[in-house]
Amino acid sequence: MEERIIILGSNGQIGTELAAALREKFGHTQVITSDIRPPQIPEGYSLFEPVDVLDREALHGLFTKYRPTQVYLLAAMLSATGEKYPRQAWDLNINGLLNVLDLSLEHSVRKVFWPSSIAVFGPHSPKANTPQYTVMDPNTIYGISKLSGERICEYYFNRFGLDVRSIRYPGIISWKAAPGGGTTDYAIHIFHDALKNNMYNCFLSAETALPMLYMDDAIRATLDLMDAAPDKIRIRSSYNLTGVSFTPSMLAAEIRRFLPDFTISYADNDPRQAIADTWPNSIDDTEARNDWGWKPAFDLSRITEVMIGNLSEKIHIEDGKSI
Ligand code: NAD
């Protein structure tokens, strides 16, 4: 069966690269991107429709026009921004999801992807190798909305048979599109500042360990999960998934392999520290490995190498353009 895919919230950090991967896999004419802001890269304009996921009528029009077989919902307000606008974060993260699930049922969409986050865990969750099933008491509005979203997804699967699939992404590291206001964004900013200024003032403390994943791994995981036979998907809330865990000081040491004079300092009292302190240091993703064969390919040293290589080229090109 021919797939027709709609990505909602396609112009952010993950959507920009997921759209490219889906176009590559299914063909340019089969992938419709949609967002409330314009694309970050020129290729993003192919089959782009501006739609707000909170506008149910507009969303209905989009589904009617393209009759999607798969829908990827990436529109959300992330952790750090969510703490500034908690009511809007709840509205977008929950009502956007409910709109998409209801319309997916109404339009007989075959598969829906919706990402959750390691933010579903909280101060009483075990910090090391956090298991799939454990205490979950998130205390950010982002984490609360993601945990509620997980329960809603599982409910729509059990109650209505909607084939919803989900991953609890850790911090995603990438260089093509800018990150969207999360607590793990330092692991991207650090590369930009290292290459431009040879120094970085980190908003998290030196020893704050967080689980991370390189974008290529995140995209491959997403495509593999969506390709898996329905009976392999035993978890319909959201799968734990991880690539590698590290601290800002470990990352700085890796960067010094390429830029020996790089220096890092640490800011006091950034509100993102309080968020990071409630999140896992590392994640146990045994279920994803067993159920649908997940295995990460990028460790810290490889991530550092590809980030420095790709970003130096990108910055070089951008500097060239501005001259
Ligand atoms: P992002 O902020 O970079 O992108 C989100 C996109 O949604 C933006 O382009 C934004 O314009 C769009 N959007 C916002 N409101 C909208 C609306 N009302 N209607 C339509 N579009 C709207 O976020 P991202 O990093 O690409 O994250 C995508 C998903 O992955 C989110 O659900 C996020 O919670 C989840 N996630 C991301 C990470 C990460 O490290 N990036 C980690 C865990 C989970």
Side-chain angles (χ1 to χ4, degrees):
M1 185 190 182
E2 200 175 58
E3 300 286 354
R4 276 180 312 282
I5 294 167
I6 292 182
I7 309 172
L8 301 159
S10 60
N11 297 345
Q13 187 197 358
I14 298 174
T16 299
E17 301 209 33
L18 183 64
L22 289 168
R23 284 194 199 104
E24 179 78 34
K25 188 172 158 107
F26 295 105
H28 278 243
T29 53
Q30 306 309 110
V31 180
I32 298 94
T33 56
S34 169
D35 202 296
I36 49 168
R37 67 165 158 167
Q40 295 196 42
I41 53 168
E43 304 85 284
Y45 283 97
S46 95
L47 270 181
F48 172 69
E49 300 267 2
V51 171
D52 182 339
V53 294
L54 293 175
D55 182 343
R56 211 184 147 104
E57 279 309 301
L59 213 49
H60 178 76
L62 188 71
F63 278 51
T64 307
K65 181 170 175 189
Y66 291 103
R67 292 175 290 107
T69 58
Q70 295 187 24
V71 172
Y72 294 71
L73 170 57
L74 302 179
M77 196 181 287
L78 274 68
S79 56
T81 317
E83 288 312 294
K84 290 187 194 143
Y85 312 103
R87 190 62 173 79
Q88 288 93 321
W90 175 262
D91 275 349
L92 175 59
N93 298 359
I94 293 299
N95 294 331
L97 174 61
L98 286 169
N99 281 346
V100 170
L101 295 179
D102 285 341
L103 285 168
S104 295
L105 276 178
E106 205 178 299
H107 291 258
S108 307
V109 173
R110 284 178 43 237
K111 293 184 223 174
V112 178
F113 177 78
W114 170 83
S116 182
S117 158
I118 55 161
V120 291
F121 298 110
H124 295 90
S125 309
K127 287 236 171 289
N129 277 323
T130 309
Q132 177 73 38
Y133 298 108
T134 185
V135 172
M136 298 169 95
D137 58 347
N139 59 9
T140 61
I141 195 68
Y142 178 65
I144 294 167
S145 69
K146 287 293 184 185
L147 182 54
S148 308
E150 287 190 9
R151 304 317 307 149
I152 293 169
C153 286
E154 190 189 87
Y155 181 79
Y156 270 66
F157 173 75
N158 286 333
R159 180 78 205 274
F160 305 118
L162 185 66
D163 187 349
V164 197
R165 304 173 180 207
S166 176
I167 289 172
R168 289 175 184 152
Y169 288 139
I172 310 286
I173 302 176
S174 69
W175 57 274
K176 283 187 190 155
T183 302
T184 53
D185 289 2
Y186 92 83
I188 298 174
H189 298 160
I190 193 172
F191 287 103
H192 287 262
D193 284 19
L195 286 163
K196 286 182 182 157
N197 311 319
N198 225 0
M199 60 172 74
Y200 179 61
N201 186 30
C202 185
F203 59 76
L204 296 184
S205 71
E207 302 311 323
T208 305
L210 288 170
M212 303 276 185
L213 188 64
Y214 186 58
M215 181 65 86
D216 293 21
D217 272 344
I219 300 296
R220 187 168 48 82
T222 307
L223 299 187
D224 285 355
L225 175 71
M226 291 303 274
D227 268 351
D231 62 338
K232 297 272 183 218
I233 317 293
R234 289 183 314 110
I235 292 172
R236 292 297 181 160
S237 50
S238 189
Y239 276 95
N240 270 13
L241 195 102
T242 191
V244 57
S245 282
F246 56 80
T247 64
S249 70
M250 288 163 72
L251 180 54
E254 277 296 321
I255 291 175
R256 269 185 220 109
R257 288 199 302 123
F258 299 86
L259 304 167
D261 299 330
F262 171 67
T263 56
I264 185 164
S265 53
Y266 298 95
D268 275 339
N269 293 327
D270 188 286
R272 289 164 285 191
Q273 182 69 48
I275 299 177
D277 286 342
T278 69
W279 286 2
N281 300 146
S282 58
I283 293 280
D284 176 359
D285 58 8
T286 307
E287 274 82 0
R289 288 171 186 260
N290 290 344
D291 289 1
W292 43 276
W294 162 243
K295 194 168 184 282
F298 287 80
D299 60 13
L300 179 56
S301 111
R302 195 156 167 226
I303 292 173
T304 310
E305 193 182 325
V306 292
M307 284 296 285
I308 298 228
N310 286 314
L311 263 183
S312 14
E313 203 172 312
K314 187 170 186 244
I315 290 169
H316 186 70
I317 293 167
E318 284 169 359
D319 284 354
K321 273 190 199 146
S322 63
I323 289 168

